[in-house]
């Protein structure tokens, strides 16, 4: 199925090479807060290791909802033994798996979303839906209409947004915590980023951050700028993984800042800015889909390969 996944992405991009989308200028009512990274930096061993619990949480999202509900998924669950599940959902096909719970060791509520499973058809069809659309004002009140996102990712997010919000409210109430960490890989990272915008609008005053692995581009320039201004996000990209360069910028899609790129020697480099073209970052390292690798998409991210 990996070949089919690659073919689906590449054939669509080649067939739409003449398409152009004009990104509208950003109008935001909030002060601009740029991401902290302003220069290249190589992460230390301890900094890389600090991501590992969240990488396992992202990997765990590939497990059946019944397994994450009682935290019985084997090695991934065992990697975070103090986790207290609150709710799980999805069917792994029409609706991506998700779960919410409390990590008392890390003092955060965790929200995790399943990524793209190449063995299943529906998520691949969702990933191939490369069009920009407005966010639902009922879910994203006050968001400027210039901010547009991949409508397949938007619709996948909307499928679970109310249930995830209810579970997060329960987790915050039960734990007394005021921090939420949202994680996901691939399509799950895209949904996680949309939740990183959605949840603060619904839960003002709660500290919310997003960590995405192998994240595709989610929205237009206005969306990327809004994320940089308002959403603490880390995007971990692995070596020659081609998914983070999709959908193409020529279609109007742009990444926010926050990239941590895993090099061929397995060191991690923090890349400043959006879609940095330096060879130490994904856009510079993987210039076209033909220079990318679908095998690198699942990892390893540090020591973790994605999947249940």
């Amino acid at each position: 199925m990996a070949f089919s996944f690659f073919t689906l992405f590449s054939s669509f991009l080649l067939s739409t090479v003449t398409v152009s989308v004009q990104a509208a200028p950003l109008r935001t009512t909030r002060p601009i807060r740029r991401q902290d990274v302003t220069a290249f930096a190589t992460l230390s061993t301890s900094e890389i290791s600090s991501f590992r619990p969240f990488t396992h949480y992202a990997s765990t999202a590939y497990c059946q909802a019944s397994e994450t509900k009682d935290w019985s998924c084997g090695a991934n669950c065992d990697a975070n033994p103090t986790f207290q599940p609150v709710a799980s959902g999805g069917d792994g096909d029409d609706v991506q798996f998700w779960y919410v719970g409390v990590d008392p060791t890390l003092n955060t509520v965790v929200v995790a979303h399943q990524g793209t499973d190449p063995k299943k058809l529906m998520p691949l069809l969702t990933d191939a839906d490369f069009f920009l659309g407005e966010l639902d004002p009922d879910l994203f009140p006050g968001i400027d209409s210039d901010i547009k996102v991949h409508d397949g990712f938007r619709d996948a997010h909307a499928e679970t947004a109310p249930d995830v919000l209810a579970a997060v409210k329960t987790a915050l109430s039960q734990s007394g915590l005021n921090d939420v960490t949202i994680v996901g890989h691939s399509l799950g990272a895209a949904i996680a980023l949309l939740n990183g915008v959605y949840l603060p609008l619904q839960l003002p005053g709660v500290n919310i951050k997003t960590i995405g692995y192998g994240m595709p581009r989610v929205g237009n320039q206005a969306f990327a700028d809004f994320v940089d201004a308002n959403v603490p996000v880390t995007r971990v990209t692995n070596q020659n993984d081609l998914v983070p360069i999709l959908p193409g910028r020529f279609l109007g899609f742009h990444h926010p800042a926050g990239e941590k790129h895993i090099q061929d020697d397995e060191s991690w480099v923090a890349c400043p800015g959006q879609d940095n073209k330096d060879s130490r970052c994904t856009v510079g390292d993987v210039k076209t889909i033909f220079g990318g690798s679908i095998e690198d998409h699942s990892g390893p991210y540090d020591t973790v390969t994605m999947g249940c």
Side-chain angles (χ1 to χ4, degrees), residues 84-87 100-102 109 166-177:
Q84 301 164 5
V86 169
V100 174
V102 177
V109 170
V168 170
K169 287 180 177 179
T170 298
L172 290 170
S173 175
Q174 290 179 353
S175 66
L177 295 171

Side-chain angles (χ1 to χ4, degrees), residues 10-22 248-252:
S10 58
S11 62
F12 181 85
L13 289 180
L14 289 173
S15 68
T16 56
V17 72
T18 59
V19 175
S20 65
V21 177
Q22 180 65 45
R249 287 176 293 169
F250 66 90
L251 293 172

Side-chain angles (χ1 to χ4, degrees), residues 4 41 53 72 77 81 96 122 146 153-154 162 173 181 214 216 224 228 236 239 290 292:
S4 297
S72 61
C77 289
Q96 302 303 103
M122 287 303 297
D146 287 344
F153 298 159
R154 178 198 62 194
S173 175
T181 305
D228 283 354
V236 183
Q239 298 184 28
F290 304 107

